[in-house]
Amino acid sequence: MKLQINSITDYHTSYRESIEDPAAFWASQARAFQWTKEWDAVLESDFTGGYNRWYMGGHLNITINCLDRHLEESSDKTAIVWEPNDPMQETRKLSYRELHSSVCQFANGLRANGIGKGDRVCFYMPMLPELVIGILACARIGAIHSVVFAGFSAASLADRIKDASCKMLICADYNIRGPKQIPVKSLVDEALSLGCECIEKVIVYRNTGGGIPWVNGRDYWWYDIIEGQAEECTPEIMDSEDPLFILYTSGSTGKPKGVVHTCGGYMVYTGYTFNNVFQFQPGEIHWCTADIGWITGHSYVIYGPLLNGATTLLFEGIPTYPDPSRFWKICEKHKVNIFYTAPTAIRALMAAGDEHTIGHDLSAIRVLGTVGEPINEEAWHWYNEKVGRGIAPVIDTWWQTETGGIMITPLPGITDTKPCFASYPLPGVQPILVDVNGNEIEGNNAEGLLCIKFPWPSIIRTTYGDHERCRQSYFSAFPGLYFTGDEARRDEDGRYRIIGRVDDVINVSGHRIGTAEIENAIDEHDNVVESAVVGYAHPIKGQGIYAYVILLHPVSDETALFKEINEKLVQYIGPIAKADEVMIVSGLPKTRSGKIMRRLLRKAAEKDYENLGDISTLLNPEIVEEIVEKSKLKP
Ligand code: 7RM
């Protein structure tokens, strides 16, 4: 793909052009792709109603751009390198031609099984090439994919299936992660027993070959679906604004939001950002370690790299199996050029000791990326020095499920880098800091709520089935602005540093979880009357989960109670939502209007007893002392 920013002057020029004439800027970016019909108008936006449309009247299919377009010149080039969980098992490689054939074949299989344009297909699968094949097969025929992270519980899966009324569910028999085998098909059956009548068929990919429960007439093997299907498939020609996928993310209420992205804008933005942010060079191997169940996996494991004809590495396992050198062994083995991971992984590997990085040839690495949460200074330096050998720049990329692609980031080799700073907005991105009243905080050396004042092609289109919720969540806090939910600081040179969420969202190891979701699950425990959950600083996870609970009856064995609470969290949400600390309290600090004072709970969790602020206006100020005293007894 052409149009790569390649100097600082170029960056400034592009940035200026993107602001002065956004339509012209984004039209020229879009021309790097293949459209079957050009758009009539580039953009139409109404932040008041939360309506944003891009490339209206344009027709395309994103898989033509991810696959067909590369066949002429690079059909033998590797599209996917798959590295299994077990290092003794063989690597799989799929060329662009093979990936194209597999996608077409499965797409034909989906069509033969009643799936067509607009139908929702849910994926609950581990990191296998078949997950990529299945997702692209949906895109090929215009079906809307909804990937649910395979670490979520059966209950969470059921909620997401029902919210999008998915017609089909695609899973594996078992998932393998580190030393564990997870019986996903059993979890799927459990989810489907929770009122998912919308699901007509379940497609099962045989991953381990272990025994699984089976429902005749509903369950089908992946291989039976593709059996006899042609390796060519006419793509469904999509309107630019037809939905491409739904991806659920946590907000401040208990119910996850189905973020909807559409075909044209998402394609242009992920292609544009992959090319520029990583300064991609043809022939490079790109490894984004994110699970495809998150937006980072959608945009930078699948779509961004494939749109650019890159080789994308897919890893089934975890960073610490069989030992904490696994990432570096894979980088060495496949001569990875671009490595993109989360601060939580960096911190965990840093804590495991330098002996694991030493002795691995990491010389192919040209760029190191991080995403998902703030990276602390120590981890930034360790990454830069031990992994990047002081040569490969670290790019701290800030973005969200709702933004579809990277928004604020250094450009490697072009702009400078500074620890903890996501730095500069990409051309086309117009960040602004405001105070709580929505007044712009101008000038450098400023801190405020991070908003974006102009749309970009992959801005969230709606929350599935409930547009009002989309308007309310992102466009109502400050009229005329998209509100990110994050607080940020702008330094003396205009670089942005992301401080964190200002809403009731906790970022655990880079995974977003709403406090309300966690509290709902804890409240399911028979002995819990009420609970309140806050995030607190955690050395590896970034934020840990601290739960305050009020009990119905006192317990003698607190450890047993904590275990039961965590069982509820695993049951209702998944292992990522386990509480790190639980404190039994006789009451929760509340305002007179009945709102829980999370600020106080956060301070107690972090043992920060100074500046508790004015507590005299609380409904029950006496409870603060109890909480502070109990917190002092915690490790
Ligand atoms: C891509 C992704 C979004 C939230 C976002 C922030 C936090 C993401 C950074 C970051 C500091 C970063 N999507 N966040 N990137 N905080 N520095 N580079 O993570 O929807 O799952 O989460 O994550 O709070 O609002 S997400």
Side-chain angles (χ1 to χ4, degrees):
M1 206 172 315
K2 284 272 153 46
L3 282 168
Q4 198 175 56
I5 299 163
N6 53 31
S7 69
I8 188 76
T9 353
D10 219 8
Y11 166 72
H12 289 303
T13 314
S14 274
Y15 195 82
R16 191 172 2 92
E17 286 171 1
S18 78
I19 307 290
E20 284 170 3
D21 192 349
F25 176 82
W26 287 116
S28 90
Q29 295 301 335
R31 289 204 180 92
F33 300 89
Q34 200 170 311
W35 298 74
T36 53
K37 175 181 168 283
E38 195 169 288
W39 51 91
D40 305 316
V42 176
L43 76 151
E44 191 179 270
S45 171
D46 159 26
F47 271 12
T48 313
Y51 295 108
N52 293 282
R53 296 185 224 290
W54 283 81
Y55 308 112
M56 285 94 66
H59 291 172
L60 74 149
N61 184 292
I62 197 167
T63 70
I64 296 179
N65 285 277
C66 289
L67 302 170
D68 305 57
R69 207 166 52 124
H70 307 308
L71 293 188
E72 210 166 295
E73 282 184 7
S74 30
S75 64
D76 292 330
K77 194 173 157 188
T78 306
I80 297 178
V81 173
W82 178 73
E83 189 59 32
N85 178 70
D86 176 357
M88 305 308 280
Q89 202 185 320
E90 240 172 276
T91 297
R92 270 172 73 188
K93 289 186 182 178
L94 279 86
S95 68
Y96 270 91
R97 190 207 326 267
E98 288 163 335
L99 181 59
H100 178 269
S101 303
S102 302
V103 167
C104 285
Q105 204 176 38
F106 194 66
N108 288 328
L110 289 176
R111 274 188 179 145
N113 279 277
I115 299 296
K117 183 174 173 181
D119 288 335
R120 275 82 58 214
V121 175
C122 180
F123 288 86
Y124 188 63
M125 267 183 106
M127 293 285 280
L128 296 174
E130 281 66 25
L131 175 54
V132 180
I133 293 168
I135 286 172
L136 293 174
C138 285
R140 187 78 173 178
I141 62 170
I144 302 168
H145 53 82
S146 170
V147 182
V148 176
F149 173 55
F152 276 127
S153 66
S156 297
L157 172 62
D159 287 344
R160 287 157 175 78
I161 289 173
K162 285 184 274 189
D163 188 76
S165 13
C166 295
K167 212 167 148 182
M168 181 180 269
L169 176 63
I170 304 181
C171 65
D173 52 359
Y174 287 81
N175 289 3
I176 313 170
R177 271 178 74 77
K180 288 189 225 155
Q181 285 211 9
I182 301 128
V184 243
K185 177 56 169 61
S186 306
L187 287 173
V188 161
D189 284 8
E190 190 188 330
L192 296 190
S193 72
L194 301 169
C196 299
E197 281 86 29
C198 47
I199 294 286
E200 293 170 8
K201 291 181 181 176
V202 177
I203 313 295
V204 186
Y205 179 74
R206 195 193 296 268
N207 188 26
T208 67
I212 51 169
W214 196 260
V215 179
N216 277 327
R218 185 199 73 184
D219 300 348
Y220 299 82
W221 287 110
W222 177 286
Y223 288 112
D224 295 331
I225 295 294
I226 58 175
E227 168 89 33
Q229 295 294 345
E231 293 182 4
E232 286 293 334
C233 170
T234 313
E236 186 79 36
I237 297 306
M238 307 294 283
D239 187 272
S240 177
E241 280 300 327
D242 281 334
L244 173 65
F245 67 85
I246 304 169
L247 185 61
Y248 286 85
T249 192
S250 295
S252 39
T253 65
K255 196 172 167 266
K257 295 181 274 217
V259 173
V260 175
H261 283 292
T262 57
C263 298
Y266 181 80
M267 171 179 77
V268 172
Y269 201 74
T270 51
Y272 159 77
T273 51
F274 179 80
N275 182 29
N276 284 290
V277 172
F278 301 104
Q279 289 286 297
F280 172 67
Q281 306 300 321
E284 285 191 324
I285 315 286
H286 168 82
W287 183 17
C288 165
T289 69
D291 193 283
I292 291 171
W294 310 109
I295 191 69
T296 308
H298 281 58
S299 302
Y300 301 109
V301 174
I302 305 182
Y303 288 111
L306 297 180
L307 285 166
N308 283 274
T311 299
T312 183
L313 194 149
L314 203 65
F315 175 43
E316 186 188 27
I318 56 172
T320 49
Y321 180 81
D323 65 62
S325 67
R326 188 68 197 278
F327 270 9
W328 320 126
K329 287 202 170 109
I330 297 175
C331 285
E332 177 171 15
K333 178 173 174 188
H334 297 292
K335 302 195 170 51
V336 169
N337 305 110
I338 307 169
F339 182 73
Y340 191 30
T341 196
T344 188
I346 300 169
R347 285 190 295 265
L349 297 176
M350 176 173 79
D354 291 352
E355 64 268 29
H356 299 289
T357 43
I358 293 166
H360 296 288
D361 179 7
L362 303 177
S363 61
I365 295 179
R366 186 180 54 75
V367 183
L368 291 172
T370 111
V371 60
E373 50 178 323
I375 178 163
N376 51 307
E377 195 150 354
E378 189 192 3
W380 193 96
H381 285 296
W382 183 86
Y383 197 34
N384 196 211
E385 282 147 33
K386 298 292 188 278
V387 186
R389 301 130 14 247
I391 307 167
V394 171
I395 55 165
D396 177 353
T397 66
W398 174 85
W399 58 294
Q400 309 178 296
T401 305
E402 297 87 341
T403 69
I406 297 166
M407 302 285 280
I408 303 183
T409 176
L411 291 176
I414 296 174
T415 63
D416 53 18
T417 61
K418 180 175 172 184
C420 311
F421 281 78
S423 299
Y424 308 105
L426 284 171
V429 174
Q430 302 189 36
I432 158 176
L433 298 178
V434 300
D435 65 18
V436 286
N437 300 315
N439 302 311
E440 176 164 9
I441 304 173
E442 284 176 281
N444 287 341
N445 257 325
E447 206 168 294
L449 302 170
L450 179 64
C451 294
I452 315 285
K453 64 179 172 197
F454 198 83
W456 60 98
S458 60
I459 185 174
I460 179 175
R461 294 305 193 270
T462 193
T463 43
Y464 192 81
D466 188 354
H467 186 71
E468 174 53 19
R469 192 155 176 225
C470 172
R471 194 196 60 77
Q472 177 76 35
S473 307
Y474 309 103
F475 301 98
S476 72
F478 308 110
L481 300 175
Y482 164 86
F483 177 45
T484 65
D486 282 321
E487 194 180 12
R489 179 174 169 75
R490 195 163 47 223
D491 77 358
E492 59 287 355
D493 302 310
R495 293 182 201 91
Y496 286 87
R497 173 181 190 153
I498 311 302
I499 298 165
R501 305 283 310 186
V502 293
D503 54 11
D504 294 329
V505 170
I506 306 185
N507 193 327
V508 185
S509 302
H511 305 319
R512 272 168 69 170
I513 316 177
T515 50
E517 286 169 76
I518 305 174
E519 289 159 7
N520 287 345
I522 294 176
D523 296 348
E524 291 293 326
H525 190 285
D526 288 340
N527 198 18
V528 173
V529 179
E530 197 184 354
S531 64
V533 156
V534 293
Y536 73 110
H538 185 284
I540 303 288
K541 299 178 176 184
Q543 279 192 305
I545 296 174
Y546 205 115
Y548 294 86
V549 297
I550 303 174
L551 299 183
L552 190 59
H553 308 291
V555 290
S556 51
D557 187 352
E558 292 194 358
T559 318
L561 175 87
F562 298 172
K563 220 177 128 230
E564 288 159 22
I565 285 178
N566 273 333
E567 279 162 13
K568 290 287 175 206
L569 288 166
V570 172
Q571 180 192 345
Y572 285 95
I573 305 171
I576 54 169
K578 276 191 193 170
D580 297 278
E581 270 306 335
V582 181
M583 184 191 289
I584 299 167
V585 291
S586 65
L588 292 166
K590 288 194 180 169
T591 63
R592 285 175 194 274
S593 63
K595 279 207 170 65
I596 297 171
M597 289 290 282
R598 287 176 204 281
R599 192 178 51 80
L600 283 175
L601 297 177
R602 230 173 273 135
K603 286 197 179 274
E606 294 185 341
K607 296 178 179 278
D608 171 12
Y609 312 119
E610 312 284 312
N611 313 315
L612 287 180
D614 182 14
I615 57 168
S616 64
T617 57
L618 288 184
L619 202 60
N620 49 352
E622 68 287 349
I623 202 70
V624 177
E625 199 186 319
E626 174 189 324
I627 291 176
V628 165
E629 288 315 309
K630 282 192 172 148
S631 123
K632 287 182 180 161
L633 301 174
K634 291 275 179 185

